[in-house]
Amino acid sequence: MGSIGSPNGDQVDLAEYLFRRLYQLGVRSVQGVPGDYNLVSLDYIKPAGLYLAGNANELNAGYAADGYARVKGISALVTLFGVGELSALNAIGGAFAEKAPVVHIIGTPPTHAQNLGLNLHHSFGDGDFKRFVRVYRESTCAQANLVDPGTAPAEIYEVLRQCLKLSRPAKVSLLGLKGKLGPFDPGMDFRIMHGVIVDILKPDELIRATGYPTYVTPFGKGAMNWVNSCDLVIRFGPLDIDTNTYGFTTLTDRKVIIDIHRYSISIGRGLRQDLNTKDLLRTLLPCSIHPLFTPSSPLQAPIQSAPIDQATFWTRMSKFLRPSDIILTETGTSSSGGQDLILPPQATMINSALWLSIGYTLGATVGVALAQKDLALQNNQPTGRTNLFDGDGSFQMTTRSISVIFGNRLNVIFLINNNGYTIERHIHAVELPGRTRFFGAPTDDPSYPVLAYRATNWGELLLMDTVQVKAGKGFSLVEVVMGQDDAPASLERLVRMAAERNEGLIK
Amino acid sequence: MGSIGSPNGDQVDLAEYLFRRLYQLGVRSVQGVPGDYNLVSLDYIKPAGLYLAGNANELNAGYAADGYARVKGISALVTLFGVGELSALNAIGGAFAEKAPVVHIIGTPPTHAQNLGLNLHHSFGDGDFKRFVRVYRESTCAQANLVDPGTAPAEIYEVLRQCLKLSRPAKVSLLGLKGKLGPFDPGMDFRIMHGVIVDILKPDELIRATGYPTYVTPFGKGAMNWVNSCDLVIRFGPLDIDTNTYGFTTLTDRKVIIDIHRYSISIGRGLRQDLNTKDLLRTLLPCSIHPLFTPSSPLQAPIQSAPIDQATFWTRMSKFLRPSDIILTETGTSSSGGQDLILPPQATMINSALWLSIGYTLGATVGVALAQKDLALQNNQPTGRTNLFDGDGSFQMTTRSISVIFGNRLNVIFLINNNGYTIERHIHAVELPGRTRFFGAPTDDPSYPVLAYRATNWGELLLMDTVQVKAGKGFSLVEVVMGQDDAPASLERLVRMAAERNEGLIK
């Protein structure tokens, strides 16, 4: 820890200190919704080198922060206390369940107003401001109430350290914004914390090196079922929940299991903690790595006039994906079907296997695309594309995120794989020639083309392979019309097993 | 309390029992968002005589339930546990803060799955299902976990009694749906609970009878400022929060105050509890009641080509209102400006003065209009219209509620009083001739006309006084274009005082 620095620098305000620390950890865009108790804190965002991405509402902002954190390793979200933090809670709960390190900064009434128990608006009018603290304790791994400039640096250090180490959301309440902290030391805390930032485990290197046969859970990508007959099962970051194990049917005998977590390894029933498993894997791995899988599409070219079907759509879409792309698949037909996608190198797949909050991926797409944009600027080289596979039922939960995508000129490819009774109207609205477009889609920006089309058969779907979509330039919305009752086989299986479970469990 | 009834009736399932009790208390439409853990419970809604109003997401559904409760005295909301209940939490928090009796029914995993600590989806994957119980304890006045058919009737009775008595949300978790409760007694519990349902205080009768000069807080409607110089101040249901007292400046010396609450009266520093103050007022009031106020508009007719201004808009809009109308005013220019509306007899004003969650009134309008529709059916006579005054910033928080308004053919008059840069696009989308309309607006239903227009000056605004709008038939959206920086004087004052407070308090 230590003090905050050299005697020659200028003093910094508390809020400035926090945002500069976040910048050091890699944050460039902050998700937020303005409100009276956080307006002053927002003034510190730009001077710290950060960009404030305004969102339509707090839930969508929370989802965007989750998406940003999954790409950049950390993210920040600014909301009001009370109304704002409760609106965002489902997104924070999702980040807690699925381990996305979101720093949720909350503008709160000042300390002495809280201590006096004043009946302020955005509270329950009973002077009990601790209610919201108690609520957030259930879905954050660390909490700090920043009041005292003397202790604030240590508190900020600790809350960020926990957030990064546990990879879970942390809450920072800003009560005093302007307390002077003394000069800002750019190197101090950051060096210590940086050691904590560990990339996600990369088991693909081990798989390639050893050639071991591999099973991937739905939370990862892919599904096979011979795992229960194996003599030894090495599991990377296993998550034994119902939806990730086909209703607990793919759980193997603990005796044959080696579980490798981020900071621990368990062998059978033994546990070894406080390890850096990434370093361990590096030591174990041979230097030469050879590719095991060659992505291929064994399917014949489709008949152009034939309807698009779930059974082959996902495998065929594999050819559309490109190296370094990020692919988000929404809970439902997309996340189940997405298990059949054959990913190109360095592709990242983002979905939800535990929290399963419908509407999440559209909100998260905002954060993912912003993170891609920030990475391109930081590294001065293009990144992969942001591709979202969504369904129109989920789409309606967080529709307004489309405005944020347009407002920030985010490059997103958006594929709807349902029967389109809702989305069609959005497409028509977007296409309106010569009129103001819906959701603020720009009409006069040649650098940001907005395309929307609808594919009712394979021939029309192949047309989407245009230069714009290939390049991931601008915004492309593709509605893929499929049968309303058509579903991937894996989803049908999951639903059947859930139904059997409910029948058995609910008496 | 007692047992559940006559020996001759059929046995009822637990969920059926709950929904039939809600029907008895006046609920006819249930707000909800379907999900796997509540799908079975939804099957019991229709057989109980209730209508399930599907919503785009849980926050909007929660707002709708709040609006419904304020009109019908109680409402019901059905969501999933975990993702669903956390998404709705801000609406439930608002209902708790502002005392709307919402029964939040939550479909949860069955008891033995919870007791085993199974890692189920929609949870945090740690087997701790009590997290959500602890979260909801902060914003509900009563909680019940229905498992045991033997105790369920008593638990349902108690949770509904608390909800009605305290006029605050209650949580009912449905773990076992099909436990047989024995025959259903339609009369038993209901009679006891009904005595608890008390109409809101009607101080207008006392004011008319006595002719006492009157001050109304922003949470009510209207504002005057001589209250601090009075010798005696009688206050009805006072709420001493910053936004309701112009930053605590209209608080009077306790020595001269009589506070009349629903179940108590305080005189100076003395307190008398457990009273039925409505009965007390009835006894005190003389029988003949004469009107004190004659609504009038002292303003000259506006110049038709003149821009519409905040200073006179609200007073002029008073002529548009009709007896028994319900008027919702969104937080911001609408709630401040709405203080200048002169209400016709039996009109109801709904706004937010404490929780102030932006986007609330559009969501609540769904519930209010549904409640009006249900009342018209129950009483077989038309009700007043549902009028919403909103701003386009707030509109974007809960936009998808428009789909629910169309889907349920709700009669709503919707007035936007801002500079319209967002709403205009919605209007264009709604107006599209010969194409599918946006948000599912019907194109081929003569009984449900959908109108949208835009008024840029007084002349155009007067045009909206058409037969459709007067009758409150179908859906009318009127965009009122005003200067972006134009604000009601009362809002400017409130903002100035809040700024001074922040300047003084945040150091």
PDB file of all heavy atoms in Angstrom, chain A residues 56 87 90 112 121-122 131 134 138 242 354-355 397 436, chain B residues 56 87 90 121-122 131 134 138 242 354-355 397 425 505:
ATOM      1  N   ALA A  56     -29.585   4.260 -21.759  1.00  0.00           N
ATOM      2  CA  ALA A  56     -31.007   4.599 -21.644  1.00  0.00           C
ATOM      3  C   ALA A  56     -31.528   4.352 -20.237  1.00  0.00           C
ATOM      4  O   ALA A  56     -32.368   5.078 -19.741  1.00  0.00           O
ATOM      5  CB  ALA A  56     -31.828   3.793 -22.645  1.00  0.00           C
ATOM      6  N   SER A  87     -32.202  -0.328  -9.837  1.00  0.00           N
ATOM      7  CA  SER A  87     -32.488  -0.635 -11.243  1.00  0.00           C
ATOM      8  C   SER A  87     -31.372  -1.457 -11.876  1.00  0.00           C
ATOM      9  O   SER A  87     -31.614  -2.264 -12.767  1.00  0.00           O
ATOM     10  CB  SER A  87     -32.669   0.650 -12.059  1.00  0.00           C
ATOM     11  OG  SER A  87     -33.966   1.160 -11.910  1.00  0.00           O
ATOM     12  N   ASN A  90     -30.071  -6.276 -11.087  1.00  0.00           N
ATOM     13  CA  ASN A  90     -30.092  -7.550 -11.805  1.00  0.00           C
ATOM     14  C   ASN A  90     -28.821  -7.740 -12.643  1.00  0.00           C
ATOM     15  O   ASN A  90     -28.292  -8.845 -12.731  1.00  0.00           O
ATOM     16  CB  ASN A  90     -31.331  -7.641 -12.692  1.00  0.00           C
ATOM     17  CG  ASN A  90     -31.404  -8.947 -13.459  1.00  0.00           C
ATOM     18  OD1 ASN A  90     -30.943  -9.972 -12.978  1.00  0.00           O
ATOM     19  ND2 ASN A  90     -31.960  -8.904 -14.650  1.00  0.00           N
ATOM     20  N   HIS A 112     -23.052  13.589   6.226  1.00  0.00           N
ATOM     21  CA  HIS A 112     -23.777  14.121   7.379  1.00  0.00           C
ATOM     22  C   HIS A 112     -25.276  14.133   7.150  1.00  0.00           C
ATOM     23  O   HIS A 112     -26.061  14.032   8.089  1.00  0.00           O
ATOM     24  CB  HIS A 112     -23.238  15.513   7.775  1.00  0.00           C
ATOM     25  CG  HIS A 112     -23.800  16.650   7.021  1.00  0.00           C
ATOM     26  ND1 HIS A 112     -23.237  17.116   5.860  1.00  0.00           N
ATOM     27  CD2 HIS A 112     -24.898  17.394   7.247  1.00  0.00           C
ATOM     28  CE1 HIS A 112     -23.970  18.127   5.418  1.00  0.00           C
ATOM     29  NE2 HIS A 112     -24.969  18.318   6.242  1.00  0.00           N
ATOM     30  N   HIS A 121     -35.073  12.477  -1.136  1.00  0.00           N
ATOM     31  CA  HIS A 121     -35.685  11.756  -2.250  1.00  0.00           C
ATOM     32  C   HIS A 121     -34.731  10.670  -2.759  1.00  0.00           C
ATOM     33  O   HIS A 121     -33.535  10.719  -2.485  1.00  0.00           O
ATOM     34  CB  HIS A 121     -36.058  12.725  -3.373  1.00  0.00           C
ATOM     35  CG  HIS A 121     -34.894  13.421  -4.006  1.00  0.00           C
ATOM     36  ND1 HIS A 121     -34.196  14.432  -3.395  1.00  0.00           N
ATOM     37  CD2 HIS A 121     -34.297  13.240  -5.207  1.00  0.00           C
ATOM     38  CE1 HIS A 121     -33.231  14.845  -4.199  1.00  0.00           C
ATOM     39  NE2 HIS A 121     -33.260  14.141  -5.300  1.00  0.00           N
ATOM     40  N   HIS A 122     -35.263   9.724  -3.506  1.00  0.00           N
ATOM     41  CA  HIS A 122     -34.566   8.510  -3.961  1.00  0.00           C
ATOM     42  C   HIS A 122     -34.272   7.549  -2.807  1.00  0.00           C
ATOM     43  O   HIS A 122     -33.584   6.541  -3.004  1.00  0.00           O
ATOM     44  CB  HIS A 122     -33.243   8.802  -4.694  1.00  0.00           C
ATOM     45  CG  HIS A 122     -33.387   9.580  -5.951  1.00  0.00           C
ATOM     46  ND1 HIS A 122     -34.471   9.467  -6.774  1.00  0.00           N
ATOM     47  CD2 HIS A 122     -32.569  10.486  -6.546  1.00  0.00           C
ATOM     48  CE1 HIS A 122     -34.327  10.275  -7.810  1.00  0.00           C
ATOM     49  NE2 HIS A 122     -33.196  10.920  -7.687  1.00  0.00           N
ATOM     50  N   ARG A 131     -30.107   0.478   4.087  1.00  0.00           N
ATOM     51  CA  ARG A 131     -30.858  -0.540   3.351  1.00  0.00           C
ATOM     52  C   ARG A 131     -30.153  -0.925   2.057  1.00  0.00           C
ATOM     53  O   ARG A 131     -30.055  -2.092   1.705  1.00  0.00           O
ATOM     54  CB  ARG A 131     -32.232   0.009   2.955  1.00  0.00           C
ATOM     55  CG  ARG A 131     -33.214   0.154   4.076  1.00  0.00           C
ATOM     56  CD  ARG A 131     -34.528   0.674   3.500  1.00  0.00           C
ATOM     57  NE  ARG A 131     -35.513   0.942   4.544  1.00  0.00           N
ATOM     58  CZ  ARG A 131     -36.289   0.003   5.067  1.00  0.00           C
ATOM     59  NH1 ARG A 131     -36.193  -1.241   4.668  1.00  0.00           N
ATOM     60  NH2 ARG A 131     -37.177   0.313   6.004  1.00  0.00           N
ATOM     61  N   ARG A 134     -27.066  -2.936   2.556  1.00  0.00           N
ATOM     62  CA  ARG A 134     -27.367  -4.341   2.853  1.00  0.00           C
ATOM     63  C   ARG A 134     -27.759  -5.089   1.583  1.00  0.00           C
ATOM     64  O   ARG A 134     -27.344  -6.232   1.367  1.00  0.00           O
ATOM     65  CB  ARG A 134     -28.474  -4.433   3.903  1.00  0.00           C
ATOM     66  CG  ARG A 134     -28.049  -3.968   5.288  1.00  0.00           C
ATOM     67  CD  ARG A 134     -29.066  -4.348   6.367  1.00  0.00           C
ATOM     68  NE  ARG A 134     -30.343  -3.650   6.249  1.00  0.00           N
ATOM     69  CZ  ARG A 134     -30.634  -2.485   6.838  1.00  0.00           C
ATOM     70  NH1 ARG A 134     -29.731  -1.871   7.596  1.00  0.00           N
ATOM     71  NH2 ARG A 134     -31.814  -1.933   6.702  1.00  0.00           N
ATOM     72  N   GLU A 138     -25.189  -8.436  -0.922  1.00  0.00           N
ATOM     73  CA  GLU A 138     -25.517  -9.774  -1.420  1.00  0.00           C
ATOM     74  C   GLU A 138     -24.967 -10.023  -2.821  1.00  0.00           C
ATOM     75  O   GLU A 138     -24.924 -11.156  -3.277  1.00  0.00           O
ATOM     76  CB  GLU A 138     -27.043  -9.970  -1.432  1.00  0.00           C
ATOM     77  CG  GLU A 138     -27.710  -9.866  -0.065  1.00  0.00           C
ATOM     78  CD  GLU A 138     -27.268 -10.961   0.892  1.00  0.00           C
ATOM     79  OE1 GLU A 138     -26.809 -12.014   0.421  1.00  0.00           O
ATOM     80  OE2 GLU A 138     -27.356 -10.736   2.112  1.00  0.00           O
ATOM     81  N   ASP A 242     -27.130 -26.601 -12.931  1.00  0.00           N
ATOM     82  CA  ASP A 242     -28.050 -27.436 -13.707  1.00  0.00           C
ATOM     83  C   ASP A 242     -27.932 -27.210 -15.219  1.00  0.00           C
ATOM     84  O   ASP A 242     -27.837 -28.139 -15.999  1.00  0.00           O
ATOM     85  CB  ASP A 242     -29.502 -27.256 -13.226  1.00  0.00           C
ATOM     86  CG  ASP A 242     -29.978 -25.808 -13.281  1.00  0.00           C
ATOM     87  OD1 ASP A 242     -29.131 -24.907 -13.429  1.00  0.00           O
ATOM     88  OD2 ASP A 242     -31.195 -25.583 -13.164  1.00  0.00           O
ATOM     89  N   LEU A 354     -25.539 -19.374 -16.276  1.00  0.00           N
ATOM     90  CA  LEU A 354     -25.968 -19.496 -14.880  1.00  0.00           C
ATOM     91  C   LEU A 354     -27.082 -18.500 -14.582  1.00  0.00           C
ATOM     92  O   LEU A 354     -28.177 -18.855 -14.195  1.00  0.00           O
ATOM     93  CB  LEU A 354     -24.768 -19.250 -13.960  1.00  0.00           C
ATOM     94  CG  LEU A 354     -25.035 -19.111 -12.469  1.00  0.00           C
ATOM     95  CD1 LEU A 354     -25.774 -20.315 -11.933  1.00  0.00           C
ATOM     96  CD2 LEU A 354     -23.734 -18.899 -11.703  1.00  0.00           C
ATOM     97  N   TRP A 355     -26.800 -17.213 -14.807  1.00  0.00           N
ATOM     98  CA  TRP A 355     -27.775 -16.180 -14.446  1.00  0.00           C
ATOM     99  C   TRP A 355     -28.936 -16.153 -15.438  1.00  0.00           C
ATOM    100  O   TRP A 355     -30.079 -15.989 -15.056  1.00  0.00           O
ATOM    101  CB  TRP A 355     -27.071 -14.821 -14.370  1.00  0.00           C
ATOM    102  CG  TRP A 355     -27.847 -13.747 -13.689  1.00  0.00           C
ATOM    103  CD1 TRP A 355     -28.226 -12.557 -14.216  1.00  0.00           C
ATOM    104  CD2 TRP A 355     -28.351 -13.750 -12.341  1.00  0.00           C
ATOM    105  NE1 TRP A 355     -28.934 -11.824 -13.289  1.00  0.00           N
ATOM    106  CE2 TRP A 355     -29.023 -12.536 -12.140  1.00  0.00           C
ATOM    107  CE3 TRP A 355     -28.306 -14.688 -11.294  1.00  0.00           C
ATOM    108  CZ2 TRP A 355     -29.642 -12.207 -10.922  1.00  0.00           C
ATOM    109  CZ3 TRP A 355     -28.916 -14.366 -10.093  1.00  0.00           C
ATOM    110  CH2 TRP A 355     -29.567 -13.153  -9.916  1.00  0.00           C
ATOM    111  N   MET A 397     -36.515  -6.847 -24.207  1.00  0.00           N
ATOM    112  CA  MET A 397     -36.198  -6.522 -22.810  1.00  0.00           C
ATOM    113  C   MET A 397     -35.284  -5.299 -22.704  1.00  0.00           C
ATOM    114  O   MET A 397     -35.354  -4.551 -21.743  1.00  0.00           O
ATOM    115  CB  MET A 397     -35.503  -7.705 -22.118  1.00  0.00           C
ATOM    116  CG  MET A 397     -36.223  -9.024 -22.193  1.00  0.00           C
ATOM    117  SD  MET A 397     -37.731  -9.099 -21.202  1.00  0.00           S
ATOM    118  CE  MET A 397     -37.087  -9.552 -19.585  1.00  0.00           C
ATOM    119  N   THR A 436     -36.141  10.872 -40.562  1.00  0.00           N
ATOM    120  CA  THR A 436     -35.310  10.610 -39.389  1.00  0.00           C
ATOM    121  C   THR A 436     -35.440   9.138 -39.041  1.00  0.00           C
ATOM    122  O   THR A 436     -36.531   8.610 -38.969  1.00  0.00           O
ATOM    123  CB  THR A 436     -35.821  11.445 -38.207  1.00  0.00           C
ATOM    124  OG1 THR A 436     -36.103  12.747 -38.677  1.00  0.00           O
ATOM    125  CG2 THR A 436     -34.791  11.493 -37.120  1.00  0.00           C
TER     126      THR A 436
ATOM    127  N   ALA B  56     -43.007  -6.219 -21.115  1.00  0.00           N
ATOM    128  CA  ALA B  56     -41.752  -6.385 -21.846  1.00  0.00           C
ATOM    129  C   ALA B  56     -40.621  -6.782 -20.909  1.00  0.00           C
ATOM    130  O   ALA B  56     -39.725  -7.530 -21.283  1.00  0.00           O
ATOM    131  CB  ALA B  56     -41.392  -5.096 -22.580  1.00  0.00           C
ATOM    132  N   SER B  87     -34.669  -7.607 -11.187  1.00  0.00           N
ATOM    133  CA  SER B  87     -35.027  -6.635 -12.225  1.00  0.00           C
ATOM    134  C   SER B  87     -36.195  -5.752 -11.794  1.00  0.00           C
ATOM    135  O   SER B  87     -36.284  -4.588 -12.179  1.00  0.00           O
ATOM    136  CB  SER B  87     -35.407  -7.342 -13.532  1.00  0.00           C
ATOM    137  OG  SER B  87     -34.261  -7.689 -14.264  1.00  0.00           O
ATOM    138  N   ASN B  90     -36.384  -2.112  -8.300  1.00  0.00           N
ATOM    139  CA  ASN B  90     -36.534  -0.658  -8.236  1.00  0.00           C
ATOM    140  C   ASN B  90     -38.014  -0.258  -8.191  1.00  0.00           C
ATOM    141  O   ASN B  90     -38.385   0.686  -7.486  1.00  0.00           O
ATOM    142  CB  ASN B  90     -35.841   0.006  -9.434  1.00  0.00           C
ATOM    143  CG  ASN B  90     -35.968   1.508  -9.409  1.00  0.00           C
ATOM    144  OD1 ASN B  90     -36.016   2.117  -8.344  1.00  0.00           O
ATOM    145  ND2 ASN B  90     -36.035   2.113 -10.572  1.00  0.00           N
ATOM    146  N   HIS B 121     -29.747 -22.545 -12.115  1.00  0.00           N
ATOM    147  CA  HIS B 121     -29.659 -21.314 -12.895  1.00  0.00           C
ATOM    148  C   HIS B 121     -30.599 -20.257 -12.307  1.00  0.00           C
ATOM    149  O   HIS B 121     -31.522 -20.571 -11.573  1.00  0.00           O
ATOM    150  CB  HIS B 121     -29.971 -21.588 -14.366  1.00  0.00           C
ATOM    151  CG  HIS B 121     -31.380 -22.033 -14.628  1.00  0.00           C
ATOM    152  ND1 HIS B 121     -31.829 -23.289 -14.323  1.00  0.00           N
ATOM    153  CD2 HIS B 121     -32.433 -21.375 -15.148  1.00  0.00           C
ATOM    154  CE1 HIS B 121     -33.094 -23.389 -14.662  1.00  0.00           C
ATOM    155  NE2 HIS B 121     -33.505 -22.239 -15.161  1.00  0.00           N
ATOM    156  N   HIS B 122     -30.346 -18.998 -12.662  1.00  0.00           N
ATOM    157  CA  HIS B 122     -31.023 -17.823 -12.079  1.00  0.00           C
ATOM    158  C   HIS B 122     -30.624 -17.586 -10.619  1.00  0.00           C
ATOM    159  O   HIS B 122     -31.181 -16.713  -9.962  1.00  0.00           O
ATOM    160  CB  HIS B 122     -32.551 -17.884 -12.169  1.00  0.00           C
ATOM    161  CG  HIS B 122     -33.100 -17.945 -13.554  1.00  0.00           C
ATOM    162  ND1 HIS B 122     -32.493 -17.296 -14.610  1.00  0.00           N
ATOM    163  CD2 HIS B 122     -34.199 -18.556 -14.070  1.00  0.00           C
ATOM    164  CE1 HIS B 122     -33.213 -17.529 -15.708  1.00  0.00           C
ATOM    165  NE2 HIS B 122     -34.226 -18.288 -15.412  1.00  0.00           N
ATOM    166  N   ARG B 131     -30.234 -15.217  -0.201  1.00  0.00           N
ATOM    167  CA  ARG B 131     -29.777 -13.883  -0.611  1.00  0.00           C
ATOM    168  C   ARG B 131     -30.950 -13.024  -1.062  1.00  0.00           C
ATOM    169  O   ARG B 131     -31.052 -11.851  -0.723  1.00  0.00           O
ATOM    170  CB  ARG B 131     -28.816 -13.997  -1.791  1.00  0.00           C
ATOM    171  CG  ARG B 131     -27.464 -14.560  -1.472  1.00  0.00           C
ATOM    172  CD  ARG B 131     -26.633 -14.586  -2.754  1.00  0.00           C
ATOM    173  NE  ARG B 131     -25.331 -15.179  -2.540  1.00  0.00           N
ATOM    174  CZ  ARG B 131     -24.274 -14.552  -2.050  1.00  0.00           C
ATOM    175  NH1 ARG B 131     -24.378 -13.279  -1.686  1.00  0.00           N
ATOM    176  NH2 ARG B 131     -23.122 -15.152  -1.906  1.00  0.00           N
ATOM    177  N   ARG B 134     -33.189 -11.921   1.703  1.00  0.00           N
ATOM    178  CA  ARG B 134     -32.619 -10.794   2.467  1.00  0.00           C
ATOM    179  C   ARG B 134     -32.758  -9.487   1.686  1.00  0.00           C
ATOM    180  O   ARG B 134     -33.065  -8.448   2.260  1.00  0.00           O
ATOM    181  CB  ARG B 134     -31.144 -11.071   2.792  1.00  0.00           C
ATOM    182  CG  ARG B 134     -30.940 -12.211   3.790  1.00  0.00           C
ATOM    183  CD  ARG B 134     -29.509 -12.256   4.330  1.00  0.00           C
ATOM    184  NE  ARG B 134     -28.526 -12.652   3.340  1.00  0.00           N
ATOM    185  CZ  ARG B 134     -28.146 -13.913   3.096  1.00  0.00           C
ATOM    186  NH1 ARG B 134     -28.686 -14.920   3.762  1.00  0.00           N
ATOM    187  NH2 ARG B 134     -27.228 -14.175   2.186  1.00  0.00           N
ATOM    188  N   GLU B 138     -35.754  -5.717   2.581  1.00  0.00           N
ATOM    189  CA  GLU B 138     -35.527  -4.274   2.698  1.00  0.00           C
ATOM    190  C   GLU B 138     -36.623  -3.453   2.017  1.00  0.00           C
ATOM    191  O   GLU B 138     -36.714  -2.254   2.249  1.00  0.00           O
ATOM    192  CB  GLU B 138     -34.166  -3.900   2.092  1.00  0.00           C
ATOM    193  CG  GLU B 138     -32.973  -4.572   2.760  1.00  0.00           C
ATOM    194  CD  GLU B 138     -32.777  -4.129   4.202  1.00  0.00           C
ATOM    195  OE1 GLU B 138     -33.255  -3.046   4.566  1.00  0.00           O
ATOM    196  OE2 GLU B 138     -32.155  -4.888   4.965  1.00  0.00           O
ATOM    197  N   ASP B 242     -37.248  16.091   1.407  1.00  0.00           N
ATOM    198  CA  ASP B 242     -36.693  17.311   0.798  1.00  0.00           C
ATOM    199  C   ASP B 242     -37.508  17.825  -0.381  1.00  0.00           C
ATOM    200  O   ASP B 242     -37.840  18.994  -0.473  1.00  0.00           O
ATOM    201  CB  ASP B 242     -35.218  17.094   0.411  1.00  0.00           C
ATOM    202  CG  ASP B 242     -34.999  15.933  -0.548  1.00  0.00           C
ATOM    203  OD1 ASP B 242     -35.928  15.105  -0.708  1.00  0.00           O
ATOM    204  OD2 ASP B 242     -33.897  15.841  -1.127  1.00  0.00           O
ATOM    205  N   LEU B 354     -41.083  11.170  -3.833  1.00  0.00           N
ATOM    206  CA  LEU B 354     -40.050  10.666  -2.936  1.00  0.00           C
ATOM    207  C   LEU B 354     -39.060   9.789  -3.701  1.00  0.00           C
ATOM    208  O   LEU B 354     -37.877  10.058  -3.741  1.00  0.00           O
ATOM    209  CB  LEU B 354     -40.722   9.862  -1.806  1.00  0.00           C
ATOM    210  CG  LEU B 354     -39.826   9.048  -0.879  1.00  0.00           C
ATOM    211  CD1 LEU B 354     -38.770   9.920  -0.241  1.00  0.00           C
ATOM    212  CD2 LEU B 354     -40.651   8.352   0.186  1.00  0.00           C
ATOM    213  N   TRP B 355     -39.570   8.769  -4.351  1.00  0.00           N
ATOM    214  CA  TRP B 355     -38.691   7.806  -5.022  1.00  0.00           C
ATOM    215  C   TRP B 355     -38.137   8.408  -6.318  1.00  0.00           C
ATOM    216  O   TRP B 355     -36.967   8.220  -6.642  1.00  0.00           O
ATOM    217  CB  TRP B 355     -39.454   6.510  -5.292  1.00  0.00           C
ATOM    218  CG  TRP B 355     -38.597   5.337  -5.654  1.00  0.00           C
ATOM    219  CD1 TRP B 355     -38.674   4.591  -6.790  1.00  0.00           C
ATOM    220  CD2 TRP B 355     -37.551   4.761  -4.879  1.00  0.00           C
ATOM    221  NE1 TRP B 355     -37.736   3.593  -6.772  1.00  0.00           N
ATOM    222  CE2 TRP B 355     -37.033   3.673  -5.611  1.00  0.00           C
ATOM    223  CE3 TRP B 355     -36.986   5.053  -3.634  1.00  0.00           C
ATOM    224  CZ2 TRP B 355     -35.980   2.884  -5.143  1.00  0.00           C
ATOM    225  CZ3 TRP B 355     -35.937   4.268  -3.169  1.00  0.00           C
ATOM    226  CH2 TRP B 355     -35.452   3.205  -3.917  1.00  0.00           C
ATOM    227  N   MET B 397     -36.670   5.480 -20.809  1.00  0.00           N
ATOM    228  CA  MET B 397     -36.348   4.486 -19.783  1.00  0.00           C
ATOM    229  C   MET B 397     -37.263   3.265 -19.868  1.00  0.00           C
ATOM    230  O   MET B 397     -36.856   2.157 -19.555  1.00  0.00           O
ATOM    231  CB  MET B 397     -36.483   5.086 -18.382  1.00  0.00           C
ATOM    232  CG  MET B 397     -35.712   6.365 -18.137  1.00  0.00           C
ATOM    233  SD  MET B 397     -33.920   6.154 -18.047  1.00  0.00           S
ATOM    234  CE  MET B 397     -33.687   5.682 -16.334  1.00  0.00           C
ATOM    235  N   ARG B 425     -39.587  10.706 -33.664  1.00  0.00           N
ATOM    236  CA  ARG B 425     -39.319   9.497 -34.457  1.00  0.00           C
ATOM    237  C   ARG B 425     -40.340   8.412 -34.159  1.00  0.00           C
ATOM    238  O   ARG B 425     -40.734   7.652 -35.022  1.00  0.00           O
ATOM    239  CB  ARG B 425     -37.916   8.990 -34.145  1.00  0.00           C
ATOM    240  CG  ARG B 425     -36.897   9.892 -34.779  1.00  0.00           C
ATOM    241  CD  ARG B 425     -35.514   9.720 -34.220  1.00  0.00           C
ATOM    242  NE  ARG B 425     -34.842  10.986 -34.370  1.00  0.00           N
ATOM    243  CZ  ARG B 425     -34.163  11.614 -33.438  1.00  0.00           C
ATOM    244  NH1 ARG B 425     -34.009  11.060 -32.268  1.00  0.00           N
ATOM    245  NH2 ARG B 425     -33.614  12.764 -33.664  1.00  0.00           N
ATOM    246  N   LEU B 505     -23.592  20.917   1.200  1.00  0.00           N
ATOM    247  CA  LEU B 505     -23.405  19.640   1.896  1.00  0.00           C
ATOM    248  C   LEU B 505     -22.181  18.867   1.426  1.00  0.00           C
ATOM    249  O   LEU B 505     -21.539  18.183   2.207  1.00  0.00           O
ATOM    250  CB  LEU B 505     -24.645  18.761   1.707  1.00  0.00           C
ATOM    251  CG  LEU B 505     -25.942  19.255   2.357  1.00  0.00           C
ATOM    252  CD1 LEU B 505     -27.018  18.201   2.216  1.00  0.00           C
ATOM    253  CD2 LEU B 505     -25.743  19.590   3.832  1.00  0.00           C
TER     254      LEU B 505
END
